[in-house]
Amino acid sequence: MHRRWFLSAFAVLLSVVLVACTTANTQQAQTQVKNTTEATNTNSQQLPKGSAKRVVALSSLSADIISRLDQTKVVGITGSKLFKNDSRFKDIPRVSEGQSPPNLEKVVALKPDLVIGAEGFSNIPIQKLQQLGIQTLLTKVNSWESLEELTKTLAKSIDADPQPLLNRYKSFLPEKLTQGFSTLALVSRQPILAPNKNSWAGDLLAKFQAKNIAADLQGKSPIGGYVTLSAEKVLEANPEVIILVNAPQGNSQAGLLDSLKKEAFWQQLQATKNNRVYVFDYYGLVNPGSIDAIEKACQQLKQALFVAQGT
């Protein structure tokens, strides 16, 4: 059981590490990012102004947003389990699967006038596509505001109205904010890895008034937006709520909890004594993934942080 939890935690950690490692390996090759949602093309081309007709999305979130803005504009997407049973993408060609890099021949064959990539994952293929004269957009979503800005940017690029989606996003957030519980989000157990305020997960917790015990911590972790904690630090903070992240491949909640119950510090925490431990999916909380995944994570946060208070 402990081994299964270790493998699950390692998978989550590896998924987060991939972003940092890829970014580090491509730092000299990638374009200079202007802000959290848009990057300048190295070939000095301007992004299409309301003229993109054929879009290839190399991230699941961008594919989802473009599809909801105007489904006719998506001609290629990255393979993702989030779209496995989604009829919108049934007949859309996949240019990559899982963590593998996109097949550039497939991308070029689709004759896109815009290719959207995710910073950290898509830097190298985006640069190669730029060299071929294809217009590109490099994106990064690590806060709620950057999600909204990304939606506006994508809408502008295909001449669509972003407001319906922006209104939907607002419906995910709590209408009434109250002082939240002290909260620990556990992305990995070995090491204990938690998001600070500079990550998507950390920003989302802040939107729900959770008192994230790692929010203002900085550490030597190579993963931007995440810090490593010792068992002693967790005991000292003694969170009222603990959120566990299920690995991308998804093990059972029972397996996660059973393995943690064997840890010496686990039973001493307020959260475990009061049965305030919740399991979240990787997509939505750690990786935004898709709009539906974000909505599900928000619904769970409402239940975990508000229902018990009667709000």
Side-chain angles (χ1 to χ4, degrees):
M1 188 68 72
H2 179 75
R3 184 173 182 272
R4 287 201 298 270
W5 162 243
F6 175 79
L7 291 174
S8 299
F10 180 76
V12 176
L13 179 60
L14 180 61
S15 299
V16 179
V17 168
L18 277 171
V19 178
C21 291
T22 307
T23 301
N25 291 336
T26 61
Q27 186 174 9
Q28 295 181 344
Q30 66 181 318
T31 56
Q32 179 66 38
V33 179
K34 294 173 64 177
N35 53 45
T36 57
T37 61
E38 188 170 344
T40 303
N41 289 331
T42 55
N43 58 6
S44 299
Q45 295 185 74
Q46 297 296 316
L47 289 174
K49 297 179 180 179
S51 61
K53 306 296 182 183
R54 299 180 61 81
V55 179
V56 172
L58 302 182
S59 76
S60 58
L61 181 60
S62 293
D64 193 24
I65 292 174
I66 288 286
S67 177
R68 293 178 189 277
L69 290 170
D70 185 342
Q71 190 171 349
T72 67
K73 301 295 178 66
V74 182
V75 297
I77 63 171
T78 181
S80 172
K81 74 171 189 177
L82 295 171
F83 300 147
K84 185 176 181 181
N85 299 313
D86 195 324
S87 60
R88 291 177 300 156
F89 302 107
K90 181 180 179 182
D91 299 318
I92 303 296
R94 268 62 170 171
V95 298
S96 66
E97 290 293 338
Q99 301 289 353
S100 62
N103 185 317
L104 295 186
E105 290 185 0
K106 287 185 178 181
V107 174
V108 173
L110 293 171
K111 299 180 179 180
D113 48 20
L114 178 61
V115 178
I116 305 167
E119 182 185 342
F121 287 103
S122 312
N123 300 73
I124 290 178
I126 285 293
Q127 186 194 31
K128 291 180 178 179
L129 291 168
Q130 289 172 353
Q131 293 171 350
L132 295 174
I134 297 174
Q135 295 183 100
T136 64
L137 179 66
L138 198 60
T139 69
K140 181 179 180 180
V141 175
N142 61 359
S143 69
W144 194 267
E145 288 71 23
S146 63
L147 171 65
E148 294 177 327
E149 288 304 313
L150 172 61
T151 302
K152 294 175 185 177
T153 298
L154 296 184
K156 183 178 180 180
S157 72
I158 62 171
D159 194 22
D161 180 11
Q163 202 56 51
L165 269 185
L166 296 176
N167 291 340
R168 184 181 173 192
Y169 298 162
K170 290 180 181 178
S171 72
F172 299 167
L173 299 176
E175 296 180 1
K176 181 181 178 182
L177 291 176
T178 59
Q179 189 62 40
F181 295 103
S182 60
T183 303
L184 170 65
L186 263 180
V187 174
S188 168
R189 169 63 190 97
Q190 295 179 344
I192 300 175
L193 194 68
N196 64 19
K197 63 184 179 182
N198 298 319
S199 65
W200 167 259
D203 188 74
L204 194 57
L205 289 172
K207 286 289 184 288
F208 284 79
Q209 290 294 99
K211 292 185 286 186
N212 179 10
I213 66 173
D216 297 314
L217 297 180
Q218 300 295 328
K220 297 181 180 180
S221 171
I223 308 166
Y226 289 83
V227 295
T228 54
L229 302 175
S230 64
E232 292 75 18
K233 182 66 177 179
V234 175
L235 276 170
E236 179 185 344
N238 199 11
E240 298 171 280
V241 172
I242 293 177
I243 292 172
L244 304 178
V245 176
N246 218 353
Q249 72 271 20
N251 280 3
S252 68
Q253 294 185 17
L256 291 173
L257 294 175
D258 287 347
S259 61
L260 280 168
K261 287 177 181 177
K262 298 176 182 179
E263 301 292 342
F265 72 90
W266 188 251
Q267 296 301 335
Q268 301 178 51
L269 302 174
Q270 292 184 76
T272 53
K273 291 178 180 179
N274 297 324
N275 197 29
R276 300 296 308 278
V277 179
Y278 305 90
V279 180
F280 281 57
D281 192 70
Y282 168 81
Y283 292 105
L285 186 66
V286 174
N287 181 335
S290 71
I291 296 172
D292 285 346
I294 294 170
E295 181 177 27
K296 180 181 177 182
C298 288
Q299 289 173 343
Q300 287 182 286
L301 284 172
K302 287 179 182 178
Q303 294 173 351
L305 301 173
F306 288 86
V307 172
Q309 297 184 20
T311 59

